Amino acid sequence: MPADLRSFLEQVQRQEPRGFYRVSREIDPRYEMAAVVTQLEQQRRVPVLLFERVRGARFPAVVNCFASRERLARALGVPAAQLPARYQEGVDHPIPPKVVERGPVQAVVEAGDAVDLTALPLMMYHDTDRAPYITAGIVFARDPESGRCNLSYNRLMLRDRAHLGIFMTVGKHLHEIYSRMETRGRPLPIAIALGNHPAWALGALYIGPYQVEEAGIIGGLLGSPLELVAGKTQDVLAPAHAEIVLEAEILPHAREEEGPFGEFHGYATAPRPRQVVRVTAITHREDAIYQDVLGGSHREHLVLPTIPMEANLDRAVRAVVPTLRAARMAAPFTCILSMEKRFEGQPRSAILAAFAAELYLKHVIVVDEDVDPGNLGQVLWAMGTRVQAGRDVFIIPAVPGSNLDPSAEREGIVDKLGIDATAKPSLKEFAPRSRVPDDVMARIRLEDYLPDLK
Ligand SMILES: Cc1cc2nc3c(=O)[nH]c(=O)nc-3n(C[C@H](O)[C@H](O)[C@H](O)COP(=O)(O)O)c2cc1C
Ligand SMILES: [Mn+2]
């Protein structure tokens, strides 16, 4: 059996105690599912939740599939610590997809007037959202010149039974493909895959050159080719083993207001005139499961994309600084690099390489190898004790960045900040760190001195 959402859900149930729950009580997709997830997050829990009865919808809905690094790592067959290396291995050894004749995702085909997006359990998450959204769809689109297939996640706003609004970041690949078609006055055919295996999600989120096909990386992550079927109403390819596929086209020269929508950084983004998607068919399994990634700053939306981002940053920075230890996305638009500095100025090279590799990146902080980049207390300690602002902070003004950054004065144009929080001129020559002597730490046992300690 090929890896798909179902095989993954079975794996979670087998391998992760307290990692999977069915909700049999009926629930409203307007805010109620988001409230359940939020309350669990407040308890620092992110189990997979399968909502069996969603009010007004024909399908059950599953959320939180990709909400923890451990769960994603397990789906790729490795412990969490090896996830970045496993990801890079998949990127380095792609396996091209295989087109097959038929797949379970086309067991039912609803085309033309039968298309009804409102029958899907589309959720509303936040008080600021304009309409129900699809956030967990992988958009498959082919470049009209090369024929290469691009994959990306794009939020989709429900407009009516057959139309969606779409948000495509300028500078990302789907927007480029769309622009090439729009120049010819033609719609861009797309397939939107819903109900995806973690390897599909992580592969789709690969960040790299335009020419690299994400579907091949998915193959590399799975160790076998991703199986694709041809669309019934559009010249598109989509995963044969997805749960639901929306066949559609992004219309040329059409813009309608999309948003506001509460984004991953925790703010509602302003409404803007954006492209319109016309859905020409919904194909699905007999007993399809709808999958959702909660919009906004919920765990799943924060965890999932950082893994490919960190892999990309790791590769780009390591190319100039081979002694990089780790790259961590610590907050929206913010990255921390830890490295063994070999010579002065090297952190600045690392910062420039990181900015060149990741459009969204706005702030980069570099720390020495004795600081854990995953521990923000330690990072702030390094900034507090190793930085002189006049010497170690630099700003590159007015550079393209995320068009979701609410602090930007002009949309999509941001100032980029680098902070070299390494010890100068080197860690070895810096003020020594004070430590209780190692031999004494090893010798002293708390219970000998504090037998009553609870
Ligand atoms: C849940 C989720 C939702 C996303 N929504 C959008 C979106 O609405 N628009 C967008 O441009 N990128 C969105 N992204 C990010 C892109 O999918 C990501 O940058 C992708 O790598 C772009 O593909 P490309 O490199 O082929 O352009 C989202 C990512 C995730 C994980
Ligand atoms: Mn791409």
Side-chain angles (χ1 to χ4, degrees), residues 217-228:
I217 293 167
I218 292 175
L221 293 173
L222 291 169
S224 60
L226 174 68
E227 293 188 8
L228 300 174

Side-chain angles (χ1 to χ4, degrees), residues 135-136 150-156 167-169 171-174 204-208 214 263 293 301 304-305 360:
T135 56
N150 191 75
L151 274 60
S152 59
Y153 275 84
N154 296 83
R155 71 177 195 228
L156 298 153
F167 172 59
M168 299 182 281
T169 303
K172 293 269 179 184
H173 300 161
L174 182 63
L205 289 165
Y206 165 75
I207 301 162
E214 288 89 353
E263 263 297 346
V293 171
H301 200 159
L304 177 63
Y360 281 4

Side-chain angles (χ1 to χ4, degrees), residues 322-343:
T323 47
L324 177 77
R325 284 287 175 88
R328 284 279 168 277
M329 289 303 297
F333 319 127
T334 304
C335 170
I336 296 162
L337 303 172
S338 78
M339 62 189 277
E340 212 176 300
K341 184 171 65 174
R342 289 291 162 80
F343 50 88

Side-chain angles (χ1 to χ4, degrees), residues 106-127:
Q106 293 183 333
V108 181
V109 178
E110 288 150 2
D113 288 347
V115 168
D116 184 6
L117 294 165
T118 64
L120 298 174
L122 304 194
M123 294 171 59
M124 285 186 78
Y125 314 104
H126 302 113
D127 50 4

